[in-house]
C-alpha cells in the first residue's frame, strides 16, 4: 500500500527502544485491508524470488512463438506476388498487421 491510509489503518503505535535512521519504528494497527490487521513501514516480505525469471521465460517463449511465422509469411508474399507489386503487397500486409494487431 502507498500509505497506512490506503491499507485502512486506524491507529499508530510507536515501538519503544527501536530506532532507525529515519526515527522511531512505528507499527500501524486496525488495518482493514491486511490479513493480520497490522502493518509496518517498508516493503512486504515475500517469497517471490523466481517470479521475475519465470515471467521473463514465458514472455520470451511467447514472443518467439508469435514471430515464428513472420519470415515464412514474408517469403510467401515474395513468391506469390509479381515482382512489380511486391512493394505494395508488403506495405498492405504490414498495414493489415498493424490494423488487426496480428
Amino acid at each position: 500500500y502507498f500509505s497506512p491510509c490506503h491499507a485502512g489503518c486506524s491507529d499508530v503505535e510507536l515501538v519503544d527502544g527501536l530506532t532507525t535512521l529515519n526515527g522511531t519504528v512505528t507499527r500501524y494497527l486496525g488495518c482493514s485491508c491486511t490479513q493480520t490487521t497490522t502493518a509496518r513501514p517498508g516493503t512486504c516480505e515475500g517469497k517471490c524470488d523466481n517470479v521475475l525469471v519465470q515471467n521473463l521465460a514465458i514472455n520470451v517463449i511467447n514472443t518467439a512463438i508469435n514471430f515464428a511465422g513472420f519470415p515464412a509469411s514474408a517469403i510467401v508474399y515474395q513468391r506469390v506476388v509479381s515482382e512489380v507489386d511486391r512493394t505494395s503487397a508488403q506495405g498492405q500486409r504490414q498495414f493489415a498487421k498493424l490494423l488487426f494487431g496480428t
Side-chain angles (χ1 to χ4, degrees), residues 5-68:
C5 294
H6 285 97
C9 301
S10 60
D11 197 14
V12 176
E13 176 184 50
L14 299 176
V15 179
D16 293 330
L18 296 175
T19 57
T20 63
L21 296 174
N22 296 331
T24 306
V25 175
T26 58
R27 184 169 53 179
Y28 302 102
L29 305 171
C31 303
S32 61
C33 298
T34 62
Q35 294 176 352
T36 61
T37 69
T38 61
R40 62 177 176 78
T43 58
C44 296
E45 296 175 4
K47 299 184 184 205
C48 300
D49 298 335
N50 295 331
V51 173
L52 177 63
V53 175
Q54 292 171 354
N55 190 13
L56 285 174
I58 290 171
N59 282 333
V60 166
I61 292 168
N62 187 26
T63 302
I65 290 170
N66 282 337
F67 288 106

Side-chain angles (χ1 to χ4, degrees), residues 92-102:
Q92 289 173 1
R93 183 182 66 120
Q94 187 65 25
F95 176 74
K97 287 181 70 112
L98 293 174
L99 183 66
F100 298 118
T102 58

Side-chain angles (χ1 to χ4, degrees), residues 69-92:
F70 183 76
S73 67
I75 291 171
V76 168
Y77 272 95
Q78 291 294 324
R79 291 186 182 244
V80 170
V81 178
S82 66
E83 190 173 337
V84 178
D85 296 330
R86 285 184 185 167
T87 306
S88 177
Q90 286 180 352
Q92 289 173 1

